[in-house]
Amino acid sequence: MSSTSQHNHPETSGTSYPLLNVEAMDPQLTTIQPGGGIIINLEMLWGRWRRFWLKTFRRGYVQKMQSSRKGDFNPCPHEVLDPRDLKYHENQGGYYWEAADDPFAYRSRLPFAREGLAELIVLSTLFFGGAALTAGLLLSFQASGLVAIFGWLLAFTLLLFGLEIVWFFRNPNRTIPAGEGVIVSPADGTFDTIEEIEHHEFIGGPAIEIGIFLSIFNVHINRMPVAGRIIKLAYKPGKCLNALRPESTRENERLEVYLQMPAPTNRPMLVQQITGAIARRIVCRIKPGDELEKGQQFGMIKLGSRTVIVFPREPGLEILTKPGDKLLAGSTILAKYTDAAESVTPMGKASNDDKEA
């Protein structure tokens, strides 16, 4: 970044960080899920049929939605008839609906990640349907012997996969700690690595890097570690190595979220969403210039993966967690700058939809 070399680190200068300019959107990020995938293609195909049906049979509904639509340009490569058409393009700006005018706003309040609702429906239908079909065939043909043994094992395995899909896409409420200078975990998972960096280009000085490993049993929704403005997003295609391997941080596909806390500190931070051997779909709903609250959801990584956070190493910084600790996104306090004026107190629960950007 052109502005990174201009940082004044408080440890050496005694001043706050300079205010950074918001950079343009990474041209690779034309959707909230840059890696594509089968499900997104199915949803796009379904969207074509849905728009045809709405324009043909529900013209009154289309007119009503157009009358309440806000924004001055279409960010999508297709028509926008209602908020469902914006799902994969909400990071592009343009058209939007107020929550009161959005008949699908309830989806953000469900106890499941809204970015994964399509996967949840499709995959759980396949697994639960397969389990039910297998059990039905076994009962209908009164299977016995090895056929019965392998058949019921298959049915039970499919049932377990279905339950894992439901468990994976859950979206529990979280209590967000209040207090200035408090950094909360951007992801659920295990505190895996910690590294001191003598000079980080974006931070502009010494930094701390913490890696978080997410297994397939963790909640995979990412949350803001602090309140701040999004300065830059950078998508980097790469491999899909096992997220437990140290080189996965450098070589795997990832999306980097550069952000800056508000005045007076203007501290810069970096959060990386990194794929794993199973997780191959990064979702990031935000765009440069967005201002988000601490603990607010901004995306997810679908299936096992890794999240990394980098923040300034300053006098008075306390690391309040250690390798091996289990972390909860938005709730677990990773670290705190002790020069902050406020004490750490519960700020209250953040609902599944939080405060949408």
Side-chain angles (χ1 to χ4, degrees):
M1 295 179 61
S2 58
S3 56
T4 55
S5 61
Q6 301 175 3
H7 288 307
N8 295 315
H9 194 273
E11 185 174 353
T12 57
S13 67
T15 61
S16 63
Y17 296 83
L19 192 63
L20 299 175
N21 294 323
V22 174
E23 300 194 15
M25 174 66 92
D26 185 331
Q28 299 176 97
L29 296 174
T30 57
T31 73
I32 66 172
Q33 188 170 304
I38 295 175
I39 299 297
I40 186 174
N41 290 332
L42 288 175
E43 281 204 85
M44 294 296 186
L45 181 62
W46 166 249
R48 295 177 191 172
W49 284 102
R50 175 173 48 78
R51 288 188 292 272
F52 169 77
W53 183 79
L54 290 176
K55 289 190 296 182
T56 304
F57 300 105
R58 298 197 61 190
R59 295 179 182 177
Y61 167 80
V62 171
Q63 292 176 355
K64 176 183 177 182
M65 295 309 299
Q66 288 182 339
S67 68
S68 61
R69 188 178 65 198
K70 304 292 193 301
D72 54 3
F73 70 91
N74 179 8
C76 306
H78 51 255
E79 289 183 279
V80 175
L81 303 185
D82 68 23
R84 291 173 293 183
D85 295 319
L86 295 170
K87 175 179 178 179
Y88 285 108
H89 302 276
E90 60 180 299
N91 62 344
Q92 303 299 310
Y95 291 159
Y96 68 96
W97 277 264
E98 300 289 355
D101 298 321
D102 182 356
F104 307 98
Y106 73 91
R107 296 182 178 183
S108 293
R109 297 188 292 272
L110 295 174
F112 300 101
R114 69 172 186 166
E115 301 93 337
L117 286 178
E119 282 89 348
L120 175 63
I121 293 170
V122 172
L123 295 177
S124 62
T125 298
L126 288 175
F127 288 127
F128 288 137
L133 178 61
T134 302
L137 290 174
L138 291 170
L139 293 173
S140 296
F141 290 98
Q142 298 181 344
S144 60
L146 289 177
V147 173
I149 293 173
F150 285 112
W152 286 112
L153 281 176
L154 175 61
F156 183 68
T157 301
L158 291 172
L159 177 63
L160 289 180
F161 280 140
L163 292 174
E164 165 55 26
I165 291 298
V166 173
W167 182 251
F168 174 84
F169 286 106
R170 69 195 187 282
N171 184 12
N173 291 332
R174 291 289 163 80
T175 299
I176 314 300
E180 293 183 9
V182 171
I183 304 173
V184 298
S185 177
D188 283 41
T190 302
F191 188 134
D192 189 35
T193 60
I194 182 169
E195 180 182 352
E196 292 190 10
I197 301 173
E198 289 306 313
H199 182 86
H200 189 278
E201 183 181 2
F202 178 68
I203 301 300
I208 298 292
E209 177 183 290
I210 291 177
I212 304 167
F213 171 73
L214 294 79
S215 78
I216 60 173
F217 301 107
N218 290 125
V219 174
H220 273 57
I221 291 169
N222 290 122
R223 293 177 179 264
M224 285 284 286
V226 294
R229 174 184 290 182
I230 306 304
I231 300 299
K232 173 186 174 183
L233 298 176
Y235 173 66
K236 298 185 179 181
K239 301 178 181 178
C240 292
L241 302 176
N242 189 317
L244 282 172
R245 295 171 60 177
E247 60 266 33
S248 66
T249 301
R250 302 182 301 274
E251 299 183 25
N252 279 17
E253 175 188 356
R254 63 190 183 274
L255 196 150
E256 298 176 339
V257 179
Y258 296 83
L259 60 104
Q260 185 170 39
M261 295 176 65
T265 64
N266 295 325
R267 286 188 181 101
M269 292 189 187
L270 167 64
V271 177
Q272 296 177 325
Q273 299 173 285
I274 304 171
T275 63
I278 299 177
R280 296 168 183 244
R281 299 292 177 257
I282 294 173
V283 177
C284 186
R285 310 198 307 250
I286 53 179
K287 61 185 182 298
D290 285 349
E291 295 186 3
L292 283 74
E293 299 296 327
K294 178 169 55 183
Q296 186 171 342
Q297 298 177 23
F298 67 85
M300 75 175 299
I301 313 171
K302 297 175 179 178
L303 301 179
S305 53
R306 189 175 190 84
T307 299
V308 171
I309 179 172
V310 183
F311 49 89
R313 191 180 81 219
E314 301 175 10
L317 173 66
E318 290 185 76
I319 306 297
L320 301 178
T321 50
K322 62 185 183 302
D325 286 353
K326 303 299 182 182
L327 310 176
L328 295 178
S331 291
T332 301
I333 300 175
L334 284 180
K336 181 178 185 294
Y337 294 98
T338 55
D339 60 348
E342 297 182 19
S343 61
V344 181
T345 56
M347 189 167 69
K349 288 188 177 181
S351 63
N352 293 335
D353 57 342
D354 299 313
K355 302 162 186 163
E356 295 295 341

